[in-house]
Each structure stands twice: as C-alpha cells, then as structure tokens.
Amino acid sequence: MDLTGHSTDYIVDASFPEAMRGFVRRGQLRWPGLYVYGEPLAADWRLPEVADDDYAGIVTFSSGQEMEDFWEENGYALDASGQGPYSVFYRLHPLPLSAATVTGVRAGSEEAEAAVEGTALLMSRYYAVSLVTPDDPAADPFSRSVVAEFADSFGSPG
C-alpha cells in the first residue's frame, strides 16, 4: 500500500504509550466496530514495545472490514462517507533531545504559555510520531478531527 495520506509530525514525551490508549478509546467512540492493526480492537489493547530502528511501530485504524478493503484499494483516502483510515507511526529515541528555543506554545493559559515561550527544551528520551490521515487537516474536517483527538489524548489545549 502506498502512503497517500497527509503526515502530521510530533515529538512526544514518555507519556506516549498511555496517550495512545486514550487515542484508541477515542477511535472506538468514533467507530464502535474499530479495527486496529486490521482486526477488531482487542479489549486489553496496549501499545507494543518497539526496538530502536526507524519507525519501529505502527498502529492502523479503520472502521471495520469494509474500510480495510477500501484502504487496500485506495490507500489513505476519504470514502463516500467522508471518513477514512489513519495510522500512527512511532519510534522511541532513547537519546537526549534539546532545542535552543521553544516557540509557538499552546499551554491552555496565557500565563503558562508565557512561562514556556522562548525557553530551551531538554528531554532525556522521546518518541518521534507521525499521524497519517487521509487528507490535509487544514482542508479536511475528518482529518482535522483525528489530529485534534490525538492532541486531546495528551491533554493538549489544541
């Protein structure tokens, strides 16, 4: 299958596995018959541990077998209902990450944003994550809602 969708990329902290559990629960609210990894969602789903190689992990999401079949034929695309499959690619980086200046902060309050804006970033380990949706979230309401649900899974204000 070709990667035909739109990638929204993130650097996330060690809360990623638990946030993914929340993201999966949100997906199940969207689609009660949620498929993860091409199969019906397991009741005890947890993010599998990954090795330290490129995008060692992937979690795929669809509404069911019909969307799985659509995906196989059309790739990441919107179906007639305006919805489509999406995936999360991730890689754990056990090495430090730093940035000289943090900008574009959204922290839920002006005070919290002011406290972080312009500061340096230091992380001991992190996940590089790509959320692949059927279309550009700036143009497509379904893809935008998936991106918002992903951010909400981290308790993000937006």
Side-chain angles (χ1 to χ4, degrees):
M1 168 184 343
D2 292 330
L3 273 180
T4 55
H6 184 276
S7 180
T8 303
D9 301 321
Y10 300 90
I11 297 296
V12 298
D13 63 16
S15 68
F16 178 67
E18 188 58 33
M20 279 297 296
R21 285 179 53 86
F23 186 55
V24 168
R25 284 191 296 273
R26 283 171 166 78
Q28 192 173 25
L29 291 173
R30 173 192 306 283
W31 295 323
L34 179 66
Y35 272 38
V36 175
Y37 306 119
E39 299 178 354
L41 177 64
D44 61 344
W45 186 88
R46 293 215 181 271
L47 186 72
E49 300 242 352
V50 296
D52 297 333
D53 55 8
D54 280 343
Y55 287 104
I58 180 174
V59 182
T60 63
F61 298 83
S62 71
S63 63
Q65 189 58 54
E66 185 176 326
M67 188 174 283
E68 287 290 320
D69 296 341
F70 173 85
W71 194 356
E72 189 64 35
E73 187 165 319
N74 300 287
Y76 292 87
L78 298 170
D79 63 14
S81 72
Q83 299 183 42
Y86 53 95
S87 298
V88 174
F89 292 79
Y90 61 96
R91 177 181 177 206
L92 173 63
H93 292 268
L95 301 172
L97 170 72
S98 65
T101 306
V102 176
T103 63
V105 175
R106 289 179 294 196
S109 77
E110 287 183 26
E111 181 181 345
E113 291 168 3
V116 176
E117 187 74 29
T119 63
L121 172 72
L122 299 171
M123 296 177 78
S124 60
R125 54 186 268 168
Y126 61 96
Y127 288 85
V129 178
S130 292
L131 173 58
V132 179
T133 53
D135 206 342
D136 183 347
D140 170 51
F142 174 77
S143 297
R144 184 170 36 259
S145 71
V146 171
V147 169
E149 288 173 7
F150 185 78
D152 289 348
S153 297
F154 288 87
S156 172

